[in-house]
Amino acid sequence: AQSVTQLDSQVPVFEEAPVELRCNYSSSVSVYLFWYVQYPNQGLQLLLKYLSGSTLVKGINGFEAEFNKSQTSFHLRKPSVHISDTAEYFCAVSDRSGNQFYFGTGTSLTVIP
Amino acid sequence: DTEVTQTPKHLVMGMTNKKSLKCEQHMGHRAMYWYKQKAKKPPELMFVYSYEKLSINESVPSRFSPECPNSSLLNLHLHALQPEDSALYLCASSPVARVDGTQYFGPGTRLTVL
């Protein structure tokens, strides 16, 4: 079975500053990894995903994430955040059959003007 | 069309009412999902339909009854709910059931049970 840990439940950051949201997973098998964003009062939107290949994955809205197999991490980064990035961010992991899919507990990103 | 739509956006119901939530997608996806999300928590999977057949039921109480009339439509019938069932109910779809995990989510129905 897999599990996902998002250690930071809340991350405040000033506008135009860089941000990193941390995600660690545990699994005994190869996995797919995802970051989803949920804006207030909305559903979830896929930011990016790692399936295979290059460990640096670029997503929408200027976000990117790096898969680190040795550290079992998939941290999300953005070099310069905007007010509109204020949202809840969920990391998720899936086994390669897709039968097991788990969300992390979420990180609330607040961008301060 | 890359949208998953859900109706209604908001629903308030009493514990003796019967109501239904509706979800629709026209992306040709063959897998559809219902999730329940409480405030400040991640979504919890309730049901998965694959090719219009129920493939996963995550031990959801029988007061929630899913239905998939066709490949584009997914309903969730509600009956005799409890106040603790108040939550955001999210529908999602994917091309096939969870092979690469990518799911497209609707905006959700905010349900309040009085």
Side-chain angles (χ1 to χ4, degrees):
Chain A
Q2 296 84 40
S3 68
V4 185
T5 302
Q6 292 181 247
L7 285 172
D8 306 306
S9 59
Q10 297 186 34
V11 173
V13 62
F14 286 104
E15 193 175 13
E16 297 183 7
V19 70
E20 178 179 84
L21 306 184
R22 296 181 294 167
C23 173
N24 288 87
Y25 69 93
S26 65
S27 176
S28 57
V29 299
S30 296
V31 297
Y32 298 139
L33 294 157
F34 310 85
W35 277 99
Y36 283 85
V37 61
Q38 186 174 30
Y39 298 105
N41 300 311
Q42 294 188 29
L44 278 71
Q45 180 182 7
L46 182 67
L47 272 178
L48 47 79
K49 61 183 177 183
Y50 172 78
L51 303 182
S52 65
S54 171
T55 56
L56 183 62
V57 180
K58 293 193 183 297
I60 62 171
N61 302 341
F63 284 93
E64 63 180 32
E66 184 150 23
F67 170 56
N68 187 320
K69 188 174 181 180
S70 62
Q71 308 220 344
T72 59
S73 67
F74 191 55
H75 301 332
L76 181 71
R77 302 186 183 99
K78 186 169 182 178
S80 175
V81 294
H82 302 289
I83 297 289
S84 59
D85 293 322
T86 294
E88 193 80 17
Y89 291 79
F90 292 100
C91 182
V93 63
S94 167
D95 70 359
R96 297 238 161 171
S97 71
N99 290 324
Q100 303 287 335
F101 187 89
Y102 300 98
F103 282 102
T105 50
T107 296
S108 179
L109 174 65
T110 300
V111 180
I112 305 162
Chain B
D1 186 352
T2 58
E3 265 195 326
V4 176
T5 59
Q6 290 187 244
T7 53
K9 288 191 187 307
H10 300 275
L11 178 62
V12 179
M13 60 187 290
M15 290 190 284
T16 58
N17 292 157
K18 283 186 183 181
K19 297 286 185 184
S20 296
L21 309 184
K22 179 179 170 181
C23 173
E24 201 160 2
Q25 57 88 14
H26 295 287
M27 295 179 277
H29 290 174
R30 303 311 301 270
M32 296 184 78
Y33 313 78
W34 279 116
Y35 287 87
K36 173 183 176 181
Q37 187 180 27
K38 300 286 257 184
K40 301 296 184 186
K41 298 288 187 186
E44 299 171 27
L45 182 66
M46 299 174 73
F47 303 103
V48 180
Y49 271 83
S50 179
Y51 292 89
E52 294 104 73
K53 292 190 189 316
L54 183 64
S55 62
I56 294 177
N57 176 341
E58 293 285 356
S59 303
V60 179
S62 60
R63 57 186 184 269
F64 295 92
S65 175
E67 180 198 17
C68 190
N70 59 59
S71 60
S72 300
L73 195 54
L74 185 66
N75 297 320
L76 186 63
H77 303 297
L78 313 173
H79 173 55
L81 295 193
Q82 304 296 310
E84 60 264 28
D85 296 322
S86 298
L88 181 68
Y89 287 83
L90 293 165
C91 174
S93 72
S94 62
V96 291
R98 301 171 109 183
V99 170
D100 71 356
T102 303
Q103 297 173 44
Y104 296 80
F105 283 82
T109 293
R110 178 79 56 190
L111 174 67
T112 302
V113 182
L114 301 176

